Amino acid sequence: MPITWVVKLGGSLADSDTLPFWLDALADANLVIVPGGGPFADQVRSAQQRWSFGDEAAHAMALLAMGQYGLMLSGLCPKLGIASDVPALRALVESGRSTIWLPGLSLTNDPGIPASWEVTSDSLAAWLAGRLNAANLLLVKSVAIFSDDTSYGGLVAQGMVDAAFERFSAKAAFAVWLGHRQDHPRVRAGLREPYRVFTRVNRSAG
């Protein structure tokens, strides 16, 4: 069974009252959830600024931060499965269970994923969507788009996605969509007819 959706829940939703509603809406949709880093990644940034350790260690710590946020999501919505690798994700989704991806330290050995803050959970969600051959990637944000330019470059310029996102997504087969945290009442409809709820990301400006 093909995976239709990979949904990245931004770490900013960690402090939002909308988070439980998103989890409830996604739990029965047979999809993969990618957690952001949220407050856990913020602690990694603060520690690196304080102690000036290298990006390799910070990258590994940020992956673990995503895992911590993912475990928090699982605790909030026990209906969701958890898995760390592609075969396990596929198996759980094919069994009819939406599943949270918990990225592991094995990703630090992937030469296609540089140890840099230019690669955040946005790019990692795109990387995973490619590995899963997913049809759609939805990035759920807490900030609204403030420009008509919804190209990859335009979103990078607005700070909506990380600097590496275009490289991970521009040639991918999946469609990329943006959602806002306040879209939660319409998320089920959006997963069926995304154009009615979410914003399509264009591959070029205009």
Side-chain angles (χ1 to χ4, degrees), residues 12-172:
S12 59
L13 271 72
D15 294 323
S16 172
D17 292 339
T18 67
L19 181 58
F21 298 101
W22 273 99
L23 295 175
D24 183 64
L26 298 175
D28 301 318
N30 291 18
L31 48 75
V32 172
I33 297 172
V34 175
F40 308 102
D42 291 340
Q43 288 299 311
V44 176
R45 292 178 186 270
S46 296
Q48 188 181 30
Q49 290 173 358
R50 170 66 177 86
W51 295 105
S52 299
F53 51 81
D55 283 345
E56 291 78 9
H59 175 59
M61 293 166 71
L63 290 171
L64 296 175
M66 290 174 62
Q68 290 181 71
Y69 186 38
L71 290 171
M72 186 187 88
L73 299 181
S74 174
L76 290 172
C77 187
K79 291 187 294 184
L80 294 165
I82 55 174
S84 296
D85 58 71
V86 168
L89 286 168
R90 283 192 178 281
L92 282 168
V93 172
E94 288 173 0
S95 74
R97 191 176 187 187
S98 289
T99 302
I100 301 165
W101 180 45
L102 304 181
L105 292 179
S106 62
L107 291 186
T108 59
N109 298 320
D110 191 314
I113 303 176
S116 167
W117 284 110
E118 290 188 351
V119 177
T120 69
S121 52
D122 288 336
S123 285
L124 291 173
W127 176 88
L128 182 65
R131 291 297 180 95
L132 290 169
N133 296 316
N136 298 280
L137 169 62
L138 172 65
L139 306 177
V140 183
K141 302 284 185 175
S142 292
V143 294
I145 303 170
F146 58 85
S147 168
D148 291 334
D149 184 0
T150 56
S151 67
Y152 291 111
L155 294 176
V156 170
Q158 294 178 60
M160 292 288 293
V161 296
D162 62 57
F165 186 77
E166 183 172 9
R167 176 165 63 83
F168 280 86
S169 304
K171 296 182 180 180

